[in-house]
Amino acid sequence: MLEILHRSDRLVVVDKPADVSLLADRSGAPCLWDGLAEALGSKPYLVHRLDKGTSGVLLVALHPDTQRQLTGAFQQRRVRKFYLLAVAGQIESGRTLTIDLPLRRGRKSRYRVDGRREDIRRGSGGWGMAAGSASPAGKASRTRIRVLRHEPGRTWLVAQPITGRTHQLRVHLAWIGHPILGDRLYGRPDAPEQRAPRLRLHCHKLVLPEFGTFVAPVPGSLSAIRAQDMEAAPG
C-alpha cells in the first residue's frame, strides 16, 4: 500500500519503500510508478529519483508547472536533503564533516571518484583529494555527514548531499573506506562488516522552498536510530 505523507492540488509526497524500483527496469519486476497514477487518481510527474534500495521521502508533482518548479529547485540546489544511513567501520567525530570528492561516470552504470583512492586525504574537516590529483573532467561533489551513534563495527550517520550527483552518497562513503551497509553496487555486502538485509539508506527529510518540510518516519529496519539521536542531527 502506498503511504502518502502529504497531498495538495500540486504535490504528493510519498514514503517510498525499500527494494522497489521507482521506474521500470530490466528485471521486469513491478515498479512504484506503474501503480502511482491509479493510486493518486491523476497523472504523476517525475521530480527526482531514489535508488531501488533507498526508502523515504519521494516527491511527485501533479502538474507540469509544479514539476518544472521543483526540478528547477533541485538543479539550483535549493532543496535541502537529509538521509539516515549506516556504514561499515567507525567514523570518529563530534562535528559535521565534509566529503569533497569529484565524481565521474565509471563502467557498467557505476560512478567513481575522479582520482585514485590513495590520493584521498582526511583532514580535520573531512575528506578531499590531494592537491593536483584530480582531473578537470570530474564533477564537483560535496556531502556533509554527522555521526549519530556507534555500534560495534558500524557507524550511524545523517548525511546531507550538497550536490546531487547520481549515487553520490554511496560512492563518497565507499571511497573513504566506509561503504553503506547492504550496498551491493559499491561495497562487499557479503563481508561480515557490511552485511545487511537491505541497503541502509533512508531519505528522512526534504526541505523545499515555498512548499515546506517533509519527513518520512524512520523504518523498522533502521530502528537503531533513536529519537534522541535525531534531535542532535543537523538541519
Side-chain angles (χ1 to χ4, degrees):
M1 181 177 178
L2 196 64
E3 185 171 353
I4 305 296
L5 300 172
H6 167 84
R7 180 163 187 169
S8 69
D9 57 351
R10 302 175 62 195
L11 175 70
V12 169
V13 183
V14 176
D15 187 359
K16 177 191 172 297
D19 298 323
V20 176
S21 293
L22 174 59
L23 303 176
D25 59 22
R26 288 176 291 183
S27 72
C31 68
L32 191 67
W33 206 256
D34 285 344
L36 205 53
E38 181 178 354
L40 298 178
S42 59
K43 180 180 178 179
Y45 294 86
L46 187 67
V47 174
H48 68 125
R49 302 189 185 198
L50 294 178
D51 293 340
K52 180 178 180 178
T54 306
S55 58
V57 181
L58 178 72
L59 309 179
V60 180
L62 296 178
H63 192 276
D65 288 343
T66 305
Q67 181 190 40
R68 285 190 289 271
Q69 181 181 357
L70 288 173
T71 54
F74 274 94
Q75 291 168 357
Q76 297 160 19
R77 303 176 187 171
R78 294 188 292 115
V79 179
R80 297 170 62 205
K81 299 166 283 185
F82 300 91
Y83 290 76
L84 303 178
L85 58 150
V87 301
Q90 301 286 304
I91 299 178
E92 300 297 339
S93 178
R95 55 180 291 191
T96 298
L97 300 170
T98 299
I99 307 171
D100 191 353
L101 300 172
L103 300 183
R104 64 176 173 86
R105 185 182 290 272
R107 296 181 296 174
K108 297 182 179 180
S109 300
R110 297 188 183 192
Y111 289 78
R112 55 166 291 146
V113 167
D114 185 39
R116 303 182 304 171
R117 290 181 188 270
E118 54 264 38
D119 290 327
I120 296 174
R121 300 287 184 266
R122 165 127 193 217
S124 60
W127 295 261
M129 299 300 296
S133 61
S135 76
K139 294 184 177 181
S141 304
R142 296 178 65 235
T143 300
R144 292 184 183 134
I145 63 170
R146 188 175 182 88
V147 172
L148 294 178
R149 63 179 304 200
H150 294 100
E151 291 181 349
R154 63 184 57 179
T155 304
W156 290 89
L157 306 170
V158 61
Q160 181 187 11
I162 305 303
T163 51
R165 310 299 181 196
T166 301
H167 295 174
Q168 177 175 315
L169 296 181
R170 298 168 69 179
V171 178
H172 270 175
L173 271 303
W175 276 67
I176 66 170
H178 298 282
I180 299 174
L181 301 188
D183 192 344
R184 297 183 176 275
L185 190 59
Y186 295 102
R188 296 167 52 230
D190 294 329
E193 65 272 13
Q194 204 196 342
R195 189 175 296 131
R198 58 154 288 191
L199 180 69
R200 290 289 196 260
L201 182 60
H202 176 70
C203 184
H204 178 61
K205 179 167 65 174
L206 291 185
V207 182
L208 306 178
E210 302 178 21
F211 286 88
T213 298
F214 303 102
V215 175
V218 180
S221 56
L222 277 73
S223 59
I225 297 296
R226 305 166 301 184
Q228 56 264 45
D229 294 325
M230 291 310 303
E231 290 175 2

